[in-house]
C-alpha cells in the first residue's frame, strides 16, 4: 500500500504543476479579454461559467480554475464593482477520485464571495459535456495528448505499435507514426467542434499538452509510448508477459508539433489562435526527477492503470526492469536529452 501511495498521481504531479504555472498569464489574459469585451458591448457580465477538463485529483485539481477566479475578481476590483456570480465545473473520466475533488470544491465555494456554484462532470472530453452556449472559459492542462482510443488502422490490421523485431519495427515506423498522427488530428478536431458548441460567442479556451519540438521531424521523434513499450518488450523477451498481449498493446498518446496544432485549429475553423507557445518543461523541475525511483514514480502514476488493465498485475516486474534500464548514472538525463519533449500552450477564442 505504501508503494502505491508513493506512486500516486497526487504525489507525482510536479511537472503538471509547473505547466499550470506557465498557463497562468495566458488564463489571466483570456479572462481580462472576456471581461473587457463584456464591458465594451454593454455592462460587465453578471455571471460567468468556468470549466476545467481533465482536472484529475490531488493538489493541482483546482489550480487552473482558482487562477481564473482570482483574475475575474481582480478585474472587477479595478472598477470597484462586485464580481459576478461564478459557476465552476470540473471534468474528468468517471474513475477519477472525485471524492477529494469535491472536498476541494467545497473549500473553494466557502472562500469566495459572491456565490461560487461548483460541480463535477464525469465523462470523456471527446463527448458533449455541457449545454450549448453555456461556458465562458475552458481550461485543460496536460491532457489532450491522450487520444480517444488507439489508432484504428493499427488495431484493425493487427500492426504492433512497437515490434520486438528491430527490422520490422523500423520498416513499420512511418506507418505507425502516421496512424497516431491521423488519430490525433481526428480527435483534436472533434474536441474543438464540441467545445465550440458549448462556449458562448467569443468564449475563450486555454489548453496545454505534451508535444515535440518544432525542430524535430515526426519520424525522428521518440514518442511517449515508446519508453513504456521498450520496457514491456524486455519483459516479453524474458517471458514475463505474453507476446500476443504485447503486440496488441497500444498506448493512446501522441505528441504533436506547434505546426500540427495550428493547422488543425485553422482547418476546423471554430477558433482563432490568440497565442501559441512552446516550452521546455525540464527547466521547471530542474533535478526533481533525476533518480530512477522518482522518474519511475512519475511514469507509474500516469501509465499504471492502462498497463495493469491490459497485462494484469505486472507493475513490480515493470519497475524492476525499468530500474535496471536506468540504473547507470546519467542514464535518465541522457535519455531525456536524446528524446526532447516540449509543452505546447494554446490560447483560443471562439469565432463570433
Amino acid at each position: 500500500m505504501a508503494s502505491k501511495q508513493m506512486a500516486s498521481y497526487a504525489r507525482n504531479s510536479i511537472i503538471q504543476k509547473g505547466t499550470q504555472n506557465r498557463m497562468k498569464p495566458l488564463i489571466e489574459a483570456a479572462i481580462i479579454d472576456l471581461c473587457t469585451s463584456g464591458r465594451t458591448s454593454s455592462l460587465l457580465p453578471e455571471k460567468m461559467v468556468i470549466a476545467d477538463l481533465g482536472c484529475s485529483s490531488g493538489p493541482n485539481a483546482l489550480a487552473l480554475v482558482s487562477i481564473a477566479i482570482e483574475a475575474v475578481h481582480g478585474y472587477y476590483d479595478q472598477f470597484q464593482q462586485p464580481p459576478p456570480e461564478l459557476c465552476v465545473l470540473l471534468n474528468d473520466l468517471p474513475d477519477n477520485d472525485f471524492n477529494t475533488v469535491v472536498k476541494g470544491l467545497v473549500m473553494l465555494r466557502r472562500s469566495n464571495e459572491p456565490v461560487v456554484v461548483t460541480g463535477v462532470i464525469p465523462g470523456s472530453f471527446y463527448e458533449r459535456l455541457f449545454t450549448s452556449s453555456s461556458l465562458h472559459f475552458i481550461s485543460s492542462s496536460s491532457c489532450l495528448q491522450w487520444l480517444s482510443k488507439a489508432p484504428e488502422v493499427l488495431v484493425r490490421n493487427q500492426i504492433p505499435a512497437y515490434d520486438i523485431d528491430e527490422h520490422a519495427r523500423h520498416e513499420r515506423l512511418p506507418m505507425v507514426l502516421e496512424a497516431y498522427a491521423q488519430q490525433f488530428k481526428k480527435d483534436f478536431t472533434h474536441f474543438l467542434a464540441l467545445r465550440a458548441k458549448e462556449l458562448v460567442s467569443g468564449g475563450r479556451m486555454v489548453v496545454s499538452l505534451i508535444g515535440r519540438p518544432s525542430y524535430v521531424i515526426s519520424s525522428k521523434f521518440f514518442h511517449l509510448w515508446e519508453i513504456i513499450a521498450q520496457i514491456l518488450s524486455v519483459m516479453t523477451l524474458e517471458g514475463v508477459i505474453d507476446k500476443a498481449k504485447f503486440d496488441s498493446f497500444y498506448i493512446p498518446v501522441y505528441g504533436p508539433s506547434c505546426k500540427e496544432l495550428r493547422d488543425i485549429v485553422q482547418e476546423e475553423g471554430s477558433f482563432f489562435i490568440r497565442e501559441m507557445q512552446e516550452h521546455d518543461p525540464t527547466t521547471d523541475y530542474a533535478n526533481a526527477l533525476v533518480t530512477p525511483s522518482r522518474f519511475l514514480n512519475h511514469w507509474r502514476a500516469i501509465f499504471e492503470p492502462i498497463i495493469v488493465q491490459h497485462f494484469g498485475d505486472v507493475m513490480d516486474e515493470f519497475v524492476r526492469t525499468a530500474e535496471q534500464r536506468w540504473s547507470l548514472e546519467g542514464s535518465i538525463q541522457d535519455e531525456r536529452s536524446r528524446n526532447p519533449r516540449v509543452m505546447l500552450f494554446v490560447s483560443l477564442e471562439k469565432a463570433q
Side-chain angles (χ1 to χ4, degrees):
M1 180 65 72
S3 62
K4 274 283 226 187
Q5 291 176 344
M6 289 302 293
S8 69
Y9 179 87
R11 287 176 174 265
N12 294 279
S13 50
I14 186 172
I15 296 178
Q16 290 84 348
K17 180 177 175 60
T19 297
Q20 291 173 332
N21 290 338
R22 288 276 171 181
M23 293 175 71
K24 182 177 180 180
L26 293 177
I27 292 173
E28 290 172 338
I31 291 295
I32 290 172
D33 281 350
L34 274 171
C35 294
T36 302
S37 63
R39 182 176 178 81
T40 55
S41 61
S42 56
L43 299 173
L44 284 170
E46 295 181 354
K47 57 184 177 181
M48 191 176 294
V49 182
I50 296 167
D52 183 66
L53 309 185
C55 66
S56 191
S57 59
N60 296 337
L62 300 179
L64 299 185
V65 294
S66 296
I67 293 170
I69 291 171
E70 289 174 9
V72 171
H73 287 184
Y75 184 87
Y76 278 69
D77 284 346
Q78 292 181 40
F79 299 97
Q80 297 181 330
Q81 293 193 24
E85 292 185 348
L86 297 176
C87 177
V88 174
L89 303 172
L90 298 184
N91 153 263
D92 212 321
L93 294 172
D95 57 358
N96 184 51
D97 181 9
F98 280 113
N99 287 330
T100 58
V101 172
V102 168
K103 290 176 183 178
L105 285 174
V106 170
M107 295 300 296
L108 182 74
R109 188 171 68 235
R110 288 174 178 171
S111 62
N112 284 277
E113 291 291 343
V115 176
V116 175
V117 177
T118 60
V120 295
I121 310 292
S124 167
F125 48 56
Y126 292 121
E127 61 188 27
R128 279 294 298 272
L129 296 169
F130 311 98
T131 56
S132 299
S133 301
S134 61
L135 303 181
H136 295 82
F137 177 78
I138 296 172
S139 61
S140 179
S141 175
S142 305
C143 294
L144 285 165
Q145 67 275 357
W146 287 97
L147 305 174
S148 65
K149 58 185 174 182
E152 294 174 346
V153 66
L154 300 183
V155 177
R156 184 171 60 249
N157 296 304
Q158 297 183 328
I159 299 171
Y162 188 92
D163 204 300
I164 289 180
D165 181 85
E166 187 176 358
H167 177 71
R169 183 166 69 248
H170 284 299
E171 276 201 340
R172 289 172 170 169
L173 183 60
M175 180 194 307
V176 170
L177 295 180
E178 178 62 19
Y180 269 87
Q182 288 302 314
Q183 186 64 47
F184 176 80
K185 180 178 181 180
K186 179 180 179 180
D187 283 344
F188 195 62
T189 298
H190 186 52
F191 174 85
L192 292 172
L194 293 173
R195 304 295 82 82
K197 290 178 181 178
E198 295 164 348
L199 280 164
V200 299
S201 179
R204 298 295 300 271
M205 181 160 63
V206 176
V207 303
S208 69
L209 65 158
I210 301 172
R212 71 174 185 272
S214 299
Y215 61 84
V216 178
I217 61 174
S218 177
S219 61
K220 301 295 183 182
F221 183 60
F222 196 79
H223 285 273
L224 286 171
W225 48 263
E226 291 184 73
I227 296 177
I228 306 299
Q230 283 184 351
I231 299 169
L232 292 170
S233 70
V234 173
M235 295 169 62
T236 303
L237 291 171
E238 293 177 348
V240 177
I241 58 179
D242 180 70
K243 184 177 183 302
K245 277 207 164 188
F246 175 79
D247 287 342
S248 63
F249 181 60
Y250 306 93
I251 297 181
V253 172
Y254 179 78
S257 66
C258 268
K259 184 180 185 305
E260 280 179 278
L261 275 186
R262 187 179 298 277
D263 289 347
I264 294 170
V265 172
Q266 292 176 344
E267 185 177 330
E268 195 277 330
S270 296
F271 292 88
F272 300 117
I273 298 174
R274 295 295 297 267
E275 192 167 351
M276 183 176 285
Q277 299 176 2
E278 180 179 304
H279 175 68
D280 177 3
T282 60
T283 60
D284 292 329
Y285 56 84
N287 296 320
L289 300 176
V290 295
T291 65
S293 61
R294 288 181 178 177
F295 191 77
L296 268 172
N297 281 340
H298 171 69
W299 283 98
R300 184 172 184 173
I302 297 172
F303 293 108
E304 179 170 6
I306 193 171
I307 292 173
V308 171
Q309 182 183 38
H310 190 80
F311 295 105
D313 189 10
V314 297
M315 288 311 298
D316 288 344
E317 190 64 25
F318 180 89
V319 169
R320 182 195 67 79
T321 305
E323 284 177 339
Q324 287 182 341
R325 173 183 172 85
W326 293 319
S327 60
L328 297 176
E329 185 177 351
S331 63
I332 293 176
Q333 293 89 327
D334 291 343
E335 182 147 16
R336 287 190 345 221
S337 64
R338 287 194 308 269
N339 308 298
R341 290 177 180 81
V342 295
M343 290 303 304
L344 304 180
F345 301 89
V346 191
S347 179
L348 301 165
E349 177 182 353
K350 182 185 170 182
Q352 299 291 333

